[in-house]
Structure formats: structure tokens, C-alpha cells
Amino acid sequence: MRTDTDDQPFPFAHAESEAQIWQPLALLNLYRLLISGLFTGLFYSDYLLPPLASHDPVLFYAVSLIYFALAIIFIVLISNRWPRFELQIYLQIGTDILATTLLMHASGSISSGLGTLLIVTVAGGSIVMGGRHPLMFAALATLAVLGEQFTAQFVGLGEPNTYTQAGILGLTLFVTALAVHGFARRIRESEALAQRRGLDLANMSQLTEHIIQRMQTGIMVIDEADRIRLMNESAWYMLGMPSATHYSRLADLSAPLADQAQRWRADPAAEIEMIQPSAEHPRVMPRFARIGQASGSGTLIFLEDATAMARHAQQLQLAALGRLTASIAHEIRNPLGAISHAGQLLGESPQLDEHDRRLTGIIGDQSRRMNTIVENIMQLSRRDHSTPRLIELNHFLPNFLREFVAGQGLRPELIGLNIDSSPLRVRFDPSQLEQILTNLCQNAVRYSEDYPGFPKVVIHAALTGESARPFIDILDHGPGIDPQIAAHIFEPFYTTATSGTGLGLYISRELAEANQAHLNYEPVATGGSCFRITFQDPRRQMH
């Protein structure tokens, strides 16, 4: 379960900001539509109250009807956002000033009171525009009022004292423009700040989700009913890549993990145990933390790959082992070389009988065995870090088998190769994979010597059925391994052979773990043994 938002750039609210710019203009046009529609409707209904249309009813009706039609046209222009925003403001505010002035003239000049509608017009222009434009709208409206007053006085409508009313209205328009402009500027600044904060929060939320999805630690969040609310990519891989969705129950995903969660809720101090989804997946160590203080709050689950923790511990052990082997090489190899050389010289003496020669042979064999043990330990401590690369097993295994048979001097039909037809890609260090396969094939050939048929050893590569992870099986026709012995075969220095060092399988497993793979022994019901290398899913990038 993952959220594929990490491939998208952080969003910027361009479309949303553009809609917010045009919305005040649409609201102002709605006011225009209501006023013009009201005047038109009142004229048709004969409910015009004085002084509306008291001077020139025809002009009042014509202006109201044209004003209403223009308001409808402005709806279309605003919806199409054409022409550009500034031009539409100039056009619409100019229409408002002209229409209001004509309606005021048709109703008996400034004494009609319709001039107060210009306050709404100027205030609306101040909100949708900034800078000096509001003062320009106030100046145009004031000039229109004064011009209408002069015209009314010329035709005998107005009285001299109405100039005072016109002046007060003009002053009111300027004060309104300045006040609303300052208020609108503060609103714009607050809106811009809120938008930036919202954008920062959205970016931070997406960045947090990106980090959670890319964390190597598995993260899960479950609610009080054990329903999954969040699961990052690492947790999905650790739990075997299940087919889970939001609000799936944790018990359906992993019953052992659900049991651990219930046990932790009952007793937070209880000991937490590792879980393993299947034999082919690594062991996982869960950790739990409560989200919030309420009793019904959710639970945060951390999943740590036990293989990674073991690998870190192994590195610390190898560092100590490296210092120890340096002392071993100095303190043991020199005396061991002297013993081996003395035994060799003693064995060349002609005075020795057959019994003494057997004893000198034992000295030589055990000296060589001790030298092999020291070399293996030094090789383990000096092992280079893994450099995984993408390997095509369909090509790698035939080349390995050809070189192994030639290098060991074996007959080609001794080892069979069975590779699935589907492409098998793994991430592994090629030299270390070759070392593991060489060790396993040598053991398989040695224990299958008594098998009469061919091939005596089979290398089988395919994909697992559940999670489609690549694997390689090394199958032999030997006597098999007793279950009690199988529990210890990967321990260092454990061997049942008199000539073995007990480090081959241990080193092989360590190399597999270093490449995030697993080496396990699989019992075979029909006889023989099977060692399986289960690789990390190649779709998961190694770090």
C-alpha cells in the first residue's frame, strides 16, 4: 500500500487563486443584476415609488432595461474570462457610474437619493482593484454627479443648495474609496498570508508523506478497532506485500502482529517478540506507540527489519574478529608452520616404521586443517562490503555451471540446471553469489557421490508462488540431514565431517544476509537435501 504522490511536484494553487480573483467581480455583477432587475420590474408593475422616474419615465425605463441586459452580458463575459480582468473592471464600473447617473437624472437629480448607489459601486471597485484605481473610480463618480447636477440646474430641475449635497456625496465617495481600499488591502494581505501558510502546510504534508513512504523503517497506523489507516512501502514489503487496502483489519494482514498489538495495549511493559510473515521473508521486530492521550486513540507501529539489525551487529562482530584474527595469524601460524615443517622432516626420516609414519601423517593433516581454519576466519574478517548489481539469473547460472564443472574437473552431466522461463532478476554481488553457489555445489556433489543416477545435483531457479520473489535451490541426492543437526548447520565451526572446518555454510549465510537475501535448509521428503537462496524483491531498491 503506497501513495504515489511522490512523483508529482509540490502543488501551487494557481487555478484556485485565479478563481478567487474573479469571484468578487461576479458578486459585484450579481448586485448589478439585482438593482437593474428591480428597477425594471418596478417600472413594469407600476409600483414605482416617487421620486423614481419622476422626471423622465422613458429614460428611466430605457436605462433600467439596458442596464439589466448588460448585467446579463457581463455574466457571460465573467464566465468566459474574456476580455481580461482589468478591462472588464473598467467596463463594468464605468457602466455602473453612467447608468446610476442617468437613473438619478431621470428621477429628479441628486435629491432622488439614487446617488448613494454610487457608494456601492466605488466600494465594489475598491475591493476588486488596488493601487490608485479606487480613487480614479471615486473621481469619475464625483465628476458624473457634479456634471449631472450642472445639467439638472441648466434644465431647471435642481436648486442651488443641491450643490452642497453633490459635494458631500463626492466627498463620501472619496472617503469610501480610501477606507474600503485600506480594508481590502489588509484582507488581501491576510488572504495572501493564509494562502502561503496553506501552501506551506500542503507542501509540508506531502514532504512528510514522501519521507514516510521512503523510510527504511516500516510505519503503520491503526485505529482503536485495529483498522489500518496508514502503511508505508517498507512495512508493505516487510509484511510480505499483502493485498491490503485502507481500513483492512490488522489481523487479516498479519495475525501475529495483531496479537502483539493486543498484548501491548493490555500491558505496554510486556516483552515484544519478533514475527516472520513467512520463511522467505525476514524477521521483523515491532515497536508500538500510542497516538494521543485519549483511551480510543490510534496506535503507531514501527517495524524494524531484524536482518538489518543483525547485519549491523555482524559488522561490529567482524571488526572485533578482524583484530582477533591478526593476533591469531601472528601467534598461531608461525608455531603451526614450524610444527608442520618438523612433521614433514620427521616423515622423511628412513628410520621410521609404519606406525610412526602414520603419526607424522596425522600431524601434517591436522596442521593443514588448522591452517585452513585460520585462513577462513581471516577471509571472513577481511570480507569486502557487498556491491549489489542487477543480475539476470537466466544468463548467470549457465555461465557459473560451465565454469564450476570445468574448474572442479567434473562430468557435465553430473549437475543439472532447471531455470524458469520467466525473466529472473536479482540484486546481488556477483562474486559473492558465485562464492555461495560454489560452496553449496561442492557440498552437494560430495554428499551425492553414492547416488547411481544422473544428474546427482540439480540447480533450480524460479519465482515463489506468494510474493513472486526469485530463489535458487541446490538439490542433491545425498543421505539428507537429521533435523537435530539441521538446526545447527549454519553455526560457525559446527561440522560432522572429520576434515571440515564448519565455516562454509556460516560464511555462505553471512554473504546472503549482506545482500538482503536468505539462505535456508529445506527438507526433502523423497530424500536428499535442498538449500534455498531466497532473494530480496528486485523492485525494492537496496540502500
Side-chain angles (χ1 to χ4, degrees):
M1 178 188 302
R2 52 180 298 188
T3 305
D4 297 326
T5 59
D6 49 277
D7 297 331
Q8 301 294 331
F10 291 156
F12 290 92
H14 175 72
E16 183 179 355
S17 299
E18 187 176 0
Q20 292 176 353
I21 291 175
W22 285 86
Q23 186 177 6
L25 190 60
L27 293 176
L28 184 60
N29 187 65
L30 179 61
Y31 162 77
R32 182 182 302 114
L33 185 66
L34 292 175
I35 291 296
S36 60
L38 176 63
F39 287 161
T40 304
L42 290 176
F43 188 87
Y44 272 107
S45 63
D46 294 332
Y47 283 103
L48 282 174
L49 299 177
L52 296 180
S54 59
H55 173 64
D56 192 341
V58 176
L59 178 61
F60 188 91
Y61 167 71
V63 172
S64 299
L65 189 60
I66 295 173
Y67 196 25
F68 183 72
L70 288 175
I72 296 175
I73 294 175
F74 289 153
I75 293 176
V76 178
L77 296 181
I78 293 173
S79 300
N80 294 329
R81 296 180 182 178
W82 182 89
R84 67 181 188 273
F85 181 77
E86 292 82 0
L87 185 58
Q88 288 206 40
I89 291 178
Y90 298 146
L91 179 62
Q92 295 182 29
I93 298 299
T95 300
D96 291 337
I97 294 174
L98 179 60
T100 303
T101 303
L102 292 176
L103 290 172
M104 184 171 58
H105 181 78
S107 300
S109 188
I110 195 171
S111 59
S112 64
L114 291 181
T116 55
L117 295 178
L118 292 174
I119 297 177
V120 179
T121 299
V122 173
S126 301
I127 291 175
V128 298
M129 287 292 286
R132 64 178 179 275
H133 297 288
L135 295 179
M136 183 186 69
F137 293 149
L140 289 176
T142 301
L143 290 175
V145 170
L146 294 176
E148 195 282 327
Q149 178 63 26
F150 177 78
T151 303
Q153 188 73 27
F154 182 76
V155 299
L157 286 177
E159 298 179 0
N161 61 357
T162 56
Y163 279 104
T164 304
Q165 298 181 22
I168 294 175
L169 178 59
L171 180 61
T172 303
L173 294 176
F174 275 99
V175 172
T176 301
L178 291 174
V180 174
H181 171 61
F183 181 68
R185 184 179 61 184
R186 290 182 177 273
I187 291 178
R188 281 195 177 88
E189 291 175 353
S190 300
E191 182 181 3
L193 179 60
Q195 184 177 355
R196 288 195 301 269
R197 293 293 182 265
L199 184 58
D200 291 341
L201 289 175
N203 291 343
M204 185 61 67
S205 175
Q206 190 168 0
L207 178 61
T208 302
E209 184 177 358
H210 178 86
I211 293 174
I212 290 176
Q213 289 296 334
R214 291 295 179 266
M215 288 178 62
Q216 292 298 298
T217 300
I219 301 293
M220 296 182 67
V221 176
I222 58 175
D223 58 17
E224 66 279 3
D226 280 358
R227 290 188 298 265
I228 300 173
R229 309 302 291 268
L230 172 68
M231 179 168 63
N232 71 348
E233 184 176 323
S234 294
W236 182 63
Y237 277 108
M238 289 181 190
L239 295 178
M241 296 176 289
S243 300
T245 59
H246 284 293
Y247 304 108
S248 296
R249 294 189 63 84
L250 183 60
D252 299 333
L253 182 68
S254 174
L257 183 59
D259 294 340
Q260 295 272 13
Q262 293 293 340
R263 188 185 311 166
W264 176 83
R265 285 197 186 102
D267 182 11
E271 183 179 357
I272 304 299
E273 300 176 356
M274 291 187 181
I275 62 173
Q276 188 169 12
S278 65
E280 61 192 29
H281 289 92
R283 292 187 301 168
V284 176
M285 172 61 75
R287 292 284 185 268
F288 302 93
R290 192 178 302 279
I291 301 177
Q293 302 298 326
S295 59
S297 59
T299 302
L300 179 62
I301 304 177
F302 299 92
L303 300 178
E304 293 287 348
D305 189 346
T307 304
M309 293 188 293
R311 196 161 50 244
H312 179 68
Q314 173 204 358
Q315 292 174 355
L316 297 178
Q317 292 175 356
L318 290 180
L321 186 60
R323 294 189 294 269
L324 177 62
T325 52
S327 301
I328 292 177
H330 178 72
E331 299 295 336
I332 294 182
R333 297 192 80 176
N334 290 337
L336 184 62
I339 294 173
S340 177
H341 185 63
Q344 183 179 1
L345 294 177
L346 184 61
E348 295 175 357
S349 174
Q351 288 83 15
L352 295 180
D353 55 17
E354 187 65 26
H355 178 72
D356 292 335
R357 292 185 183 279
R358 180 174 176 275
L359 294 178
T360 57
I362 293 175
I363 293 174
D365 292 340
Q366 296 304 317
S367 297
R368 286 189 292 272
R369 182 182 179 186
M370 290 182 64
N371 186 64
T372 301
I373 292 175
V374 172
E375 288 180 351
N376 287 338
I377 294 176
M378 294 182 66
Q379 177 188 5
L380 180 63
S381 64
R382 292 195 305 261
R383 193 183 73 218
D384 295 332
H385 291 290
S386 300
T387 55
R389 295 191 338 222
L390 191 62
I391 300 176
E392 299 278 353
L393 294 182
N394 308 73
H395 303 291
F396 180 85
L397 290 179
N399 294 333
F400 163 77
L401 183 58
R402 186 165 48 252
E403 295 176 1
F404 178 78
V405 170
Q408 300 291 322
L410 303 175
R411 297 166 58 182
E413 64 272 14
L414 187 67
I415 301 179
L417 181 61
N418 182 13
I419 304 178
D420 193 58
S421 58
S422 60
L424 300 176
R425 298 182 180 89
V426 300
R427 291 189 180 276
F428 213 96
D429 187 306
S431 62
Q432 294 180 356
L433 179 58
E434 182 177 351
Q435 182 178 349
I436 295 173
L437 292 175
T438 299
N439 184 34
L440 296 178
C441 289
Q442 286 176 344
N443 290 343
V445 170
R446 182 168 63 252
Y447 286 104
S448 300
E449 290 178 349
D450 297 334
Y451 181 69
F454 291 93
K456 297 179 181 293
V457 177
V458 176
I459 301 176
H460 174 62
L463 297 174
T464 58
E466 295 181 358
S467 56
R469 297 176 66 173
F471 70 89
I472 299 177
D473 283 345
I474 309 297
L475 302 104
D476 63 54
H477 293 281
I481 302 178
D482 184 86
Q484 295 182 351
I485 297 177
H488 304 282
I489 57 176
F490 292 104
E491 297 177 2
F493 305 108
Y494 184 86
T495 179
T496 58
T498 57
S499 59
T501 63
L503 288 173
L505 290 178
Y506 171 72
I507 293 176
S508 296
R509 172 171 273 190
E510 292 297 311
L511 291 175
E513 296 289 345
N515 288 270
Q516 299 189 13
H518 306 282
L519 174 61
N520 298 297
Y521 171 72
E522 303 284 341
V524 180
T526 58
S529 300
C530 173
F531 285 88
R532 169 169 292 188
I533 307 172
T534 305
F535 297 92
Q536 178 68 37
D537 192 313
R539 293 173 294 181
R540 186 178 185 187
Q541 179 67 38
M542 293 181 59
H543 298 278

